[in-house]
Amino acid sequence: MTSAAAPRPLEGRTALVTGAGRGLGRAAAEALAEAGAEVWLLARTEADLAAVAAGIRDAGGRASALGCDVTDATALKRAFAGLPTLDIMVNNAGTNIPEPFVDVSEDHLDRLLSLNVRAAFLAAQAAAKKMLEAPDRVARGGAIVNMSSQMGHVGAAGRTVYCLSKHAIEGLTKAMAVELAPQGIRVNSVAPTFVETPMTAPMFQRKEFSDWVHARIPLGRLGQPQDVATAIVFLCSPASSMITGTSLLVDGGWTAQ
């Protein structure tokens, strides 16, 4: 018996993912493409983007690469303005520099706020402007997903600036959702726990840190990129058409304690 074709809830939609060259951004881009969306991949490292785009196309999806540093406001705005259309945006680019609060330098503070807050704000703004160009936007709808973290809901030692930046993203998400709802654009955040990615891999080589994290996740395991990607697809799909201004915690129960 031939199995039924997998559902493609995002067929006919155009999506853009920032930080799409690796980690959570790559997983999100691949999942959106599998769900039927045409995906634009945006990041600094063009070689990474080319590899992701090629993999998506080899799997039968549609993907194009956009080399761009999201902290370059002029280049970022130009990249979004040049898109033919846009229905979905995953605001994923970000980083962390874990260190004690009293040791945080102004340089590290500025670097994290520049990428995690300022660039995220400008990327979301550029995405909304592009979406609003569609004359049928209210009927067609749109979705913006901001990449937050469980650290946008709680605090943690050694992560003061990161927590600051992700709490800012949660506030931005709510305000955007209220303002853009009349135009048919839904805005939500995804808030993962610690996920196994190239960025976190070195941290989990330290047994003490790995044990500390695992002990605080009731489900007893780290998140995987696919756990976050499926949540993103849900928030971008018609299945979540009544959901806006909320944060979907993909944290294994971390914040429930």
Side-chain angles (χ1 to χ4, degrees), residues 157-207:
R159 285 167 170 74
T160 52
V161 185
Y162 189 72
C163 288
L164 163 65
S165 71
K166 294 306 182 180
H167 276 74
I169 290 299
E170 292 296 344
L172 173 64
T173 297
K174 287 178 169 53
M176 287 175 59
V178 171
E179 187 164 337
L180 295 174
Q183 285 75 47
I185 299 172
R186 298 182 299 104
V187 186
N188 294 288
S189 70
V190 168
T193 187
F194 287 92
V195 178
E196 288 186 295
T197 69
M199 186 176 81
T200 63
M203 297 188 291
F204 289 107
Q205 293 176 1
R206 305 196 309 270
K207 184 178 186 302

Side-chain angles (χ1 to χ4, degrees), residues 42-45 66-76 115 119:
L42 189 149
R44 290 184 302 175
T45 308
L66 279 174
C68 177
D69 182 348
V70 295
T71 63
D72 182 338
T74 300
L76 180 68
L115 177 56

Side-chain angles (χ1 to χ4, degrees), residues 29-232:
E30 292 171 343
L32 290 168
E34 186 176 1
E38 177 182 1
V39 183
W40 291 83
L41 315 170
L42 189 149
R44 290 184 302 175
T45 308
E46 295 190 29
D48 289 344
L49 293 181
V52 178
I56 289 174
R57 290 193 292 266
D58 288 346
R62 295 168 294 165
S64 302
L66 279 174
C68 177
D69 182 348
V70 295
T71 63
D72 182 338
T74 300
L76 180 68
K77 293 173 184 177
R78 186 184 305 119
F80 275 90
L83 296 173
T85 188
L86 186 65
D87 301 298
I88 294 164
M89 187 266 201
V90 180
N91 204 3
N92 167 74
T95 192
N96 187 20
I97 305 175
E99 57 190 338
F101 171 60
V102 296
D103 294 336
V104 175
S105 66
E106 291 185 30
D107 175 62
H108 285 177
L109 174 64
D110 290 344
R111 282 168 58 187
L112 263 67
L113 293 182
S114 176
L115 177 56
N116 290 9
V117 180
R118 186 177 189 274
F121 180 98
L122 292 175
Q125 185 183 57
K129 287 182 177 180
K130 172 53 66 172
M131 290 180 183
L132 291 172
E133 289 178 2
D136 60 344
R137 177 52 59 196
V138 174
R140 184 174 179 82
I144 296 174
V145 177
N146 293 319
M147 184 59 70
S148 181
S149 166
Q150 65 186 15
M151 297 303 174
H153 295 264
V154 297
R159 285 167 170 74
T160 52
V161 185
Y162 189 72
C163 288
L164 163 65
S165 71
K166 294 306 182 180
H167 276 74
I169 290 299
E170 292 296 344
L172 173 64
T173 297
K174 287 178 169 53
M176 287 175 59
V178 171
E179 187 164 337
L180 295 174
Q183 285 75 47
I185 299 172
R186 298 182 299 104
V187 186
N188 294 288
S189 70
V190 168
T193 187
F194 287 92
V195 178
E196 288 186 295
T197 69
M199 186 176 81
T200 63
M203 297 188 291
F204 289 107
Q205 293 176 1
R206 305 196 309 270
K207 184 178 186 302
E208 181 180 4
F209 177 79
S210 180
D211 290 346
W212 175 77
V213 170
H214 281 84
R216 282 159 178 76
I217 301 177
L219 285 181
R221 67 174 179 86
L222 300 177
Q224 297 299 316
Q226 193 61 27
D227 295 325
V228 183
T230 53
I232 289 171

